Amino acid sequence: VGSEMCIRDRIKAVFFDFYGTLVDYDPPREQLLVSVCRELGIEVAAEALRRAIPAADQFFYRESARLPLSKRSPVEKMDLYAEYQKMMLEGAGIQIAKEKALQVLGKLAALVRQSGAKLVLFPDVEPCLAELKSRGLTLGVVTNVDRDISETYSELGLLSYLDFVISSLEMGVEKPDPAIFFIALERAGAEASEAIHVGDQYYTDVVGAKGAGIKPLLLDRDGSYPHFTDCVRIASLGEVVEWL
């Protein structure tokens, strides 16, 4: 316990993943997917999809960690996305062929564009960031993205809390490669033992942070990842302060 408290007393910086950690989709992914499936003659319950999403996400991020999207050909990317969508629907009790999964993907992308689906902060984000900022901690985002979303941070009101944002697009390296975390440490002016990384994905956030010597906190809002026992799991961002 003494050693753990010593580590906590030294924390100077907290890094956050972006998607699934700070932001969610509005409408939620499962609701959008229900609409798309209905259009294609597939009836599936939103609740069943919501329960299936975590396992599909694990598959996607595990595969992304094995071979980053940036190193995949367009065909390989589509294959991965199709398998991801197929796994999600099958987890909700819908057996579907790869070709149909690709149809779902295409219509889902179109619906997101047409409906104005947007990113919104989880309710626990601003209270957490405000508290950490008031304690003088350096705050940063470390995220894997394949497009420029710099305006999004401003639109969400995050820039008043964040000291920096590091993206895989900008750096040319993706989580879980520890190199992107080393860049974050340099930006924060902190040693690995002085930082915490908070993220909702084991294979990118936990594995990547550990590889850089940073203490990871796995954000598991719905209790979907009890099988990951080699890291701290938290149910909300309100628990981050307990690890300072």
Side-chain angles (χ1 to χ4, degrees):
V1 175
S3 174
E4 183 67 51
M5 288 303 295
C6 181
I7 291 175
R8 295 182 193 180
D9 289 344
R10 290 205 309 265
I11 298 301
K12 295 180 179 178
V14 182
F15 309 144
F16 294 90
D17 171 51
F18 187 60
Y19 293 102
T21 299
L22 299 183
V23 296
D24 195 9
Y25 290 93
D26 181 25
R29 285 187 289 172
E30 62 268 21
Q31 290 183 17
L32 292 170
L33 196 49
V34 164
S35 299
V36 166
C37 286
R38 185 171 294 126
E39 188 178 337
L40 291 171
I42 303 168
E43 288 298 324
V44 60
E47 179 58 26
L49 283 170
R50 191 185 69 79
R51 292 195 302 267
I53 284 174
D57 281 351
Q58 281 185 59
F59 161 77
F60 182 83
Y61 287 104
R62 184 172 64 245
E63 284 299 300
S64 298
R66 182 183 63 80
L67 181 62
L69 292 175
S70 60
K71 295 181 179 178
R72 294 175 187 251
S73 69
V75 171
E76 289 173 328
K77 285 182 184 179
M78 287 309 298
D79 281 344
L80 176 57
Y81 282 120
E83 188 60 34
Y84 169 62
Q85 192 64 76
K86 188 172 182 290
M87 180 174 287
M88 191 183 298
L89 286 167
E90 289 180 347
I94 304 297
Q95 297 301 310
I96 187 171
K98 177 182 173 181
E99 293 72 20
K100 196 74 169 179
L102 285 171
Q103 273 188 286
V104 172
L105 275 172
K107 286 191 173 292
L108 183 60
L111 179 61
V112 168
R113 290 193 298 268
Q114 294 164 6
S115 68
K118 59 183 181 179
L119 292 171
V120 294
L121 296 177
F122 284 103
D124 56 3
V125 172
E126 290 196 86
C128 171
L129 296 182
E131 175 63 24
L132 298 180
K133 200 69 178 174
S134 73
R135 297 186 181 212
L137 293 164
T138 298
L139 307 180
V141 163
V142 182
T143 182
N144 287 350
V145 291
D146 58 4
R147 59 191 177 87
D148 183 3
I149 58 169
S150 53
E151 288 186 5
T152 303
Y153 302 112
S154 177
E155 292 168 357
L156 292 170
L158 288 173
L159 294 184
S160 60
Y161 301 108
L162 299 175
D163 294 286
F164 59 84
V165 173
I166 291 174
S167 73
S168 58
L169 179 66
E170 174 192 4
M171 297 301 164
V173 62
E174 300 178 17
K175 297 182 295 183
D177 192 323
I180 197 169
F181 290 96
F182 291 141
I183 294 169
L185 289 171
E186 185 177 352
R187 293 272 181 95
E191 300 294 327
S193 62
E194 299 172 326
I196 287 173
H197 177 71
V198 185
D200 70 312
Q201 294 299 325
Y202 180 87
Y203 295 103
T204 51
D205 294 305
V206 173
V207 173
K210 279 188 170 185
I214 297 170
K215 184 177 187 66
L217 302 183
L218 178 61
L219 180 59
D220 186 11
R221 285 194 171 90
D222 297 322
S224 302
Y225 306 130
H227 48 290
F228 292 126
T229 58
D230 62 340
C231 61
V232 173
R233 286 192 303 128
I234 58 175
S236 79
L237 293 180
E239 295 179 46
V240 173
V241 294
E242 299 175 16
W243 295 93
L244 302 179

